[in-house]
Amino acid sequence: MSAEDYPGELDMLRGLVATLHAVAEHGDLTDVRKLLDEHQTDDRAARAETPAPAGPTGRVTQLLDAIRTARGRWTTATAYRFYRDHLRSLDHIPNTQLRAVARGDLRDLAVWGHLLRHEEPGRQYYTLKTRKDGR
């Protein structure tokens, strides 16, 4: 996950801060307002050009639907078994690679805010994030 909402956002903000420091020392408030207005216009344009954040599609959507239906704890092994039992399109993938895909899909769903990651000694699992979680 990136700290930037669009490529170059951090550089743009650093440049703005440096310019504002210089103008604040030697300029007037009108110049500061002008710079902030220009930045706001540039920022809006950059956000409009940036594609929407990634989200679940295809097999990941099917996995999320299964998690919503079955609830409970989901481990890499659980997701792997779901893929082997329900998604014939993945039959050609070797077991070790499918385990890695299942692990990555669970991790992505957690990053996107759909699941909560839990850790116990020697084990990790995921649960569906609900509004009651308060997170």
Side-chain angles (χ1 to χ4, degrees), residues 31-47:
D31 293 333
V32 171
R33 286 189 182 124
K34 180 181 174 193
L35 286 167
L36 290 172
D37 288 342
E38 288 173 2
H39 169 73
Q40 188 175 33
T41 301
D42 292 345
D43 187 66
R44 283 185 185 147
R47 288 179 190 279

Side-chain angles (χ1 to χ4, degrees), residues 16-92:
L16 175 64
V17 168
T19 305
L20 286 173
H21 276 287
V23 170
E25 287 181 26
H26 307 290
D28 65 11
L29 193 55
T30 305
D31 293 333
V32 171
R33 286 189 182 124
K34 180 181 174 193
L35 286 167
L36 290 172
D37 288 342
E38 288 173 2
H39 169 73
Q40 188 175 33
T41 301
D42 292 345
D43 187 66
R44 283 185 185 147
R47 288 179 190 279
E49 293 174 6
T50 303
T57 59
R59 74 168 185 277
V60 182
T61 300
Q62 291 176 299
L63 177 62
L64 181 57
D65 289 342
I67 293 169
R68 285 179 175 148
T69 301
R71 303 285 177 137
R73 295 179 177 194
W74 280 73
T75 63
T76 298
T78 312
Y80 166 84
R81 280 193 305 274
F82 169 76
Y83 284 158
R84 276 291 176 236
D85 294 344
H86 295 92
L87 300 181
R88 295 291 149 228
S89 62
L90 301 177
D91 283 347
H92 68 284

Side-chain angles (χ1 to χ4, degrees), residues 95-115:
N95 291 340
T96 54
Q97 289 179 357
L98 187 58
R99 285 185 60 77
V101 167
R103 184 180 304 108
D105 289 349
L106 288 169
R107 182 191 59 237
D108 290 346
L109 286 169
V111 168
W112 292 327
H114 298 285
L115 302 179

